Amino acid sequence: MLEARGIIIVLLAAVVGAFSGAAVTAMSAFVQGMHWLLFDVPTGGRLSSMFSLSHPLQAAMPAVGGLLLGLSIIWLRKRKFRTPIDPIEANALYGGRMSLTDTFIIAGQTMLSSGFGASVGLEAGYTQVGGGFGSRLARFFRMKRNDVRILVGAGAAGAIAAAFDAPLTGAFYGFELIIGIYSIANVAPVMTAAICATLVTGWLGGAPFPLELGAVPELTASQYLPFLALGLIAGGISIAIMYLVAAVERGLTRLSIDSSLRPFLGGCAVGLLGLVTPQVLSSGHGALHREFAMNYGLTVIASVFLLKIAASVISLGSGFRGGLFFASLLLGALLGKIFAAVILAIAPGSGIDPAVAAVVGMSSMAVGIIGGPLTMAFLALESTGDLTLTGVVLAAAIMTSILVRETFGYSFSTWRFHLRGETIRSAQDVGWMRSLTVGLMMRKDVRTITATTTVAEFRQQVPLGSSQRVIAVDGEGRYIGMIIVSDAYGDQPDSASTVLTLARFGDSVLVPSMNVQSAAETFHRAGAEELAVVDDFENRKVVGLLTEGHLLRRYAEELDKARRDLSGEG
């Protein structure tokens, strides 16, 4: 096994970053080529910056893309492909192990969705490719679990850095969202990957992030409070958008519409919205550029805001592949301008600048949906170069983060996991907890006794001090309850009664497949210091015993080992 510490992992991260930069440039160029071919977008232009579609038939393109996506779903279903694993899930549950097959599927479906005009971003595909390559390279050299996770984070960091021409943004995306923690051991490889990706993208001629503010007025302390309120508003709308996506999915499920047909129906709806304004189509790079470059009226901005929410919710809820990263930036910028217009109408002397409000709203909405307040603060800093503005952005983003965390508890990615039945809330490594099961920790040498045994007979068979506990079973060996030996020698039990009267915790048992977290919760609910382990909840045949003290010791040992791996010790 390669001990990937220090310079070795930094060099590999540089390779991963360079690959991520090249992949992002290629994927972006491919989608731009599709827009040129399908929507007559001029060279160097953006689909969402068009004032109208060149021909009404172009509104059918999202439906065509949905049809092709549906065919791919049928093809994958016939070959029994499992649900692809993205970098967050891989790092949280599988030690960074990602499949290249998953990578190709997600990247291909994302480019197909965005290329045909569905209102989704490419960032999910970017990070999948970068993280997947990092995982494959790490496993090729047989790295440790934590080193694999670092290179997955480095690949995703490089992808975001390349997409936005912002190495600090990419690096903190890797720290906050993909690795799940910032540590000294992570800094060098992740930053190296982000810088290399940015350099490669620039060398290949990748388009920079379209954010041009011009002169920003001086901010005063009195303006912080309105911007903090904007952060809270953005957080509330972020939660509503995530619920809306889930509602569309549930609605299509209740209508018994097959998953392969849903993208086509969603594409029809998105195409109709695109007839109203192409700004709702694809990721929205061009639309964001227009919002910062031009001053539209409140009615126009509010209309685009609502239409973009509808297009994004329908696209994702109907099964198009992609994410809400860039959509959240556009929606936040629109929200910021709406907020500024309302404040200026109410209090003309407030001095709220619409462009500043757009940046604050952009970052806050992205934090609410994607997460990562430091990531978005660095995006504002690298995009505008204004440190004072970045401070306001960070303050508002923190308010958004607190609101979403305390009232909702998920980002968009982890919310989708929750809908699938997963319990992860971040990319922090909890996979080792799942592998530490009751079956590995239990004692198999358990003493049992038939529940019909009298207390007097029990005293004869189990002398005081010979054992602390005995498990009572029925005639077929099924679990009845736990007998604490000292209870049989007290003054209360009638020696002629059966030990069934002494049995405790009859409704609380463990099964071998339970992980340490589930077992600890069972101990807490039961208020027990030891519990029987049965083969399954239906048969209840006793196979072992586990004490709470042993479980907590093993948990502490594994947690300490995980921390040492993270810090590079041992």
Side-chain angles (χ1 to χ4, degrees), residues 37 75 133 152 155 250 276 280 392 498 544 566:
L37 180 66
W75 184 83
F133 180 75
V152 170
R250 285 196 302 268
V276 179
V280 305
V392 177
T498 65
L566 188 62

Side-chain angles (χ1 to χ4, degrees), residues 47-105:
L47 173 59
S48 59
S49 66
M50 297 173 64
F51 288 95
S52 63
L53 295 177
S54 302
H55 194 284
L57 286 179
Q58 291 172 346
M61 289 300 107
V64 174
L67 184 62
L68 295 176
L69 185 61
L71 292 175
S72 74
I73 292 172
I74 295 173
W75 184 83
L76 293 171
R77 185 189 300 162
K78 287 183 177 180
R79 283 153 182 78
K80 298 181 179 180
F81 278 98
R82 57 174 172 74
T83 302
I85 296 172
D86 75 357
I88 294 177
E89 187 177 8
N91 268 4
L93 301 179
Y94 306 109
R97 297 181 66 88
M98 295 176 65
S99 164
L100 284 182
T101 301
D102 289 356
T103 296
F104 294 140
I105 290 172

Side-chain angles (χ1 to χ4, degrees), residues 2-277:
L2 178 62
E3 298 292 334
R5 289 287 116 193
I7 191 63
I8 296 177
I9 195 170
V10 171
L11 291 174
L12 292 177
V15 174
V16 172
F19 176 85
S20 297
V24 166
T25 304
M27 292 172 67
S28 177
F30 180 81
V31 170
Q32 285 295 100
M34 291 183 66
H35 291 168
W36 171 80
L37 180 66
L38 301 175
F39 296 96
D40 295 328
V41 176
T43 303
R46 296 280 187 173
L47 173 59
S48 59
S49 66
M50 297 173 64
F51 288 95
S52 63
L53 295 177
S54 302
H55 194 284
L57 286 179
Q58 291 172 346
M61 289 300 107
V64 174
L67 184 62
L68 295 176
L69 185 61
L71 292 175
S72 74
I73 292 172
I74 295 173
W75 184 83
L76 293 171
R77 185 189 300 162
K78 287 183 177 180
R79 283 153 182 78
K80 298 181 179 180
F81 278 98
R82 57 174 172 74
T83 302
I85 296 172
D86 75 357
I88 294 177
E89 187 177 8
N91 268 4
L93 301 179
Y94 306 109
R97 297 181 66 88
M98 295 176 65
S99 164
L100 284 182
T101 301
D102 289 356
T103 296
F104 294 140
I105 290 172
I106 290 180
Q109 290 183 337
T110 302
M111 288 190 292
L112 177 68
S113 300
S114 186
F116 276 89
S119 188
V120 294
L122 286 168
E123 288 76 22
Y126 294 159
T127 56
Q128 184 74 28
V129 171
F133 180 75
S135 176
R136 174 59 65 182
L137 187 64
R139 288 187 289 124
F140 176 81
F141 287 105
R142 300 188 179 184
M143 293 183 178
K144 292 180 179 179
R145 178 188 184 95
N146 192 58
D147 295 331
V148 178
R149 296 181 71 253
I150 288 175
L151 280 189
V152 170
I160 294 300
F164 294 96
D165 190 27
L168 285 173
T169 300
F172 275 85
Y173 181 93
F175 296 140
E176 293 186 293
L177 300 173
I178 306 300
I179 300 175
I181 191 170
Y182 173 89
S183 73
I184 298 301
N186 300 341
V187 174
V190 174
M191 280 300 306
T192 299
I195 293 170
C196 288
T198 307
L199 293 174
V200 168
T201 304
W203 178 64
L204 293 175
F209 179 54
L211 187 57
E212 300 170 3
L213 284 186
V216 176
E218 184 177 351
L219 298 172
T220 62
S222 62
Q223 293 175 343
Y224 270 67
L225 188 59
F227 287 132
L228 293 179
L230 175 57
L232 293 175
I233 295 170
I237 295 175
S238 300
I239 295 171
I241 290 173
M242 289 185 273
Y243 272 124
L244 284 172
V245 173
V248 171
E249 290 179 339
R250 285 196 302 268
L252 293 173
T253 300
R254 288 173 183 171
L255 292 174
S256 300
I257 299 174
D258 189 80
S259 60
S260 61
L261 185 59
R262 294 174 191 175
F264 170 74
L265 298 177
C268 291
V270 172
L272 292 175
L273 295 175
L275 277 177
V276 179
T277 173

Side-chain angles (χ1 to χ4, degrees), residues 352-493:
I352 299 295
D353 184 83
V356 173
V359 175
V360 174
M362 176 186 78
S363 304
S364 298
M365 184 76 79
V367 169
I369 293 177
I370 307 300
L374 288 176
T375 300
M376 301 310 166
F378 278 115
L379 179 59
L381 176 61
E382 292 181 293
S383 301
T384 66
D386 192 306
L387 189 58
T388 303
L389 174 58
T390 303
V392 177
V393 165
L394 182 58
I398 289 173
M399 296 301 294
T400 304
S401 181
I402 291 173
L403 176 67
V404 174
R405 184 179 68 244
E406 296 299 325
T407 62
F408 187 65
Y410 299 92
S411 66
F412 180 69
S413 296
T414 54
W415 172 240
R416 304 300 290 273
F417 299 147
H418 169 73
L419 295 177
R420 281 170 32 197
E422 287 287 357
T423 57
I424 60 175
R425 292 177 180 264
S426 75
Q428 290 192 21
D429 191 5
V430 296
W432 62 269
M433 286 198 294
R434 297 197 174 191
S435 63
L436 187 60
T437 62
V438 168
L440 293 175
M441 294 183 289
M442 70 181 186
R443 288 175 46 193
K444 296 181 180 180
D445 55 334
V446 293
R447 188 169 184 177
T448 61
I449 195 167
T450 305
T452 56
T453 302
T454 65
V455 173
E457 292 171 335
F458 180 86
R459 290 170 177 170
Q460 292 179 352
Q461 296 179 32
V462 188
L464 185 64
S466 63
S467 180
Q468 293 183 343
R469 67 195 70 81
V470 177
I471 294 176
V473 297
D474 64 11
E476 298 181 1
R478 290 191 292 263
Y479 176 73
I480 297 297
M482 185 86 66
I483 310 297
I484 306 301
V485 174
S486 61
D487 290 349
Y489 286 86
D491 297 331
Q492 298 299 324

